[in-house]
Amino acid sequence: MGNLVNGQEENINIIDNIILAFKATELHIKGLSNDITDLLEYKMFVLCLDNAVELLFKFMIARREEILLYADEKTENVLKKYNQAHKKGFTKLEAFFQRYPMENDLHTVSFSKACDFLKDYYQIIGETFASKCKKLAQVRNGFIHYSTTIRYIDVV
């Protein structure tokens, strides 16, 4: 992972994207350690942490059964993309989309559904942790989508 250069493309794979998101989270944790009441640091911490955990969960799912990432899409659309990928020599959509980013018009599952897959289907995370992740997503959605009321204990 390098720096962005004007006019150049930078491909960021999933591992690097997860690392970037956790590094951004760490920066805002440090900011909060200086002033726990700083609303901007809190907002950025929530956004970065939500992003990091969501990316990590989707990575965990994709490494087991990539097709589950697209469970909210129409099956025929997902299978068409796999067919396109196979014709070009790819077995995974992740690699196909990395090489042909303009072909990536599929939406991955929500963070909440990713939590459910890891909790109920794979049994990797427990009920309490899944519940806290969903609460984090609620707080994030409040910050992103319109207005929100936050409480000091929302993400603790």
Side-chain angles (χ1 to χ4, degrees), residues 81 84 88 93 96-97 99-106:
K81 286 297 174 183
Q84 280 182 296
K88 293 194 184 258
L93 287 181
F96 175 64
F97 291 150
R99 177 73 173 90
Y100 301 98
M102 298 307 290
E103 293 295 328
N104 188 355
D105 58 355
L106 297 178

Side-chain angles (χ1 to χ4, degrees), residues 32-87:
L32 282 172
S33 71
N34 293 330
D35 180 4
I36 194 70
T37 64
D38 187 327
L39 191 55
L40 177 61
E41 287 293 350
Y42 180 73
K43 175 180 179 168
M44 295 311 299
F45 164 72
V46 168
L47 297 179
C48 292
L49 181 60
D50 178 86
N51 180 240
V53 176
E54 180 174 348
L55 288 169
L56 178 62
F57 282 11
K58 289 179 179 182
F59 171 76
M60 293 168 70
I61 292 166
R63 289 301 176 259
R64 287 163 175 79
E65 294 171 80
E66 182 187 54
I67 199 166
L68 288 180
L69 278 182
Y70 308 103
D72 288 342
E73 288 280 345
K74 290 183 178 177
T75 303
E76 64 265 14
N77 293 344
V78 177
L79 294 177
K80 282 180 189 175
K81 286 297 174 183
Y82 271 107
N83 191 31
Q84 280 182 296
H86 293 149
K87 285 180 180 177

Side-chain angles (χ1 to χ4, degrees), residues 1-2 10-23 55:
M1 265 182 316
E10 180 75 25
N11 287 326
I12 304 170
N13 66 38
I14 185 63
I15 297 293
D16 289 341
N17 204 8
I18 293 167
I19 291 168
L20 281 172
F22 276 113
K23 283 182 178 180
L55 288 169

